[in-house]
Amino acid sequence: HDALPISTIIVNTNAYGAGNTTNCHILLANVPTGTTGDIVLTFNTGFVRAFYGAYSVIGLPSVTPTSAAGDNTSPFSIDLSINAGGFAVAAAITNASGTWGGITQDFEQTSTESYILSGASKGYKTPQNPVTVTNSDTGGDSVMVAASFDLLTIVGPFPTHFN
């Protein structure tokens, strides 16, 4: 497959000392055709750990989110506006398991260093303004990012991580 353009929403936090950064991203590639594909992440600098959770979205009219935000002060809370037929998706990297609110947890994966990636999503038939997305984690060096999009169909999730 050829490389596809990606829209990125980024939230960074330096929560536990110089040089240690937790990054949480929502990466989005608009794939107009096909039912399978490869996910390849290339890093231009060293890192301590990396996680990713993947969703397949069919019929996404735009890679521009309806609303998006990040939070690096746990417990996390983000308000999203969602259009009729839209959906919310969120990811959190934490060092303690948190409970999701406002949307439904899809996956949780723990690294060998006990960091946790979890993701949540929910589709809506009617407009929602706002949907408050929460994660109850209270550990340090944690971050959450959430976004809403107009939607037709969502398939997945397909969580994974690597160290």
Side-chain angles (χ1 to χ4, degrees):
H1 296 287
D2 293 330
L4 297 167
I6 296 177
S7 292
T8 308
I9 301 154
I10 302 172
V11 178
N12 296 320
T13 179
N14 284 328
Y16 69 98
N20 296 310
T21 302
T22 298
N23 299 297
C24 195
H25 311 273
I26 293 176
L27 305 174
L28 189 59
N30 191 5
V31 182
T33 63
T35 57
T36 63
D38 298 324
I39 297 172
V40 178
L41 302 175
T42 304
F43 300 93
N44 60 6
T45 61
F47 61 91
V48 176
R49 69 193 61 79
F51 295 88
Y52 75 88
Y55 290 85
S56 173
V57 180
I58 300 166
L60 190 65
S62 171
V63 296
T64 302
T66 307
S67 60
D71 189 355
N72 63 4
T73 306
S74 59
F76 306 118
S77 181
I78 295 173
D79 287 338
L80 296 175
S81 297
I82 301 171
N83 293 328
F87 74 100
V89 63
I93 299 174
T94 62
N95 58 16
S97 185
T99 301
W100 286 94
I103 60 178
T104 304
Q105 181 172 323
D106 297 315
F107 64 88
E108 183 174 282
Q109 183 78 35
T110 304
S111 74
T112 56
E113 299 96 356
S114 299
Y115 277 83
I116 298 168
L117 168 72
S118 62
S121 65
K122 186 172 180 178
Y124 298 88
K125 292 181 181 178
T126 60
Q128 306 292 313
N129 190 14
V131 166
T132 301
V133 177
T134 62
N135 185 296
S136 64
D137 169 68
T138 56
D141 191 39
S142 300
V143 63
M144 180 179 84
V145 60
S148 63
F149 298 89
D150 291 333
L151 163 76
L152 297 180
T153 307
I154 188 166
V155 180
F158 311 101
T160 191
H161 88 279
F162 50 92
N163 287 334

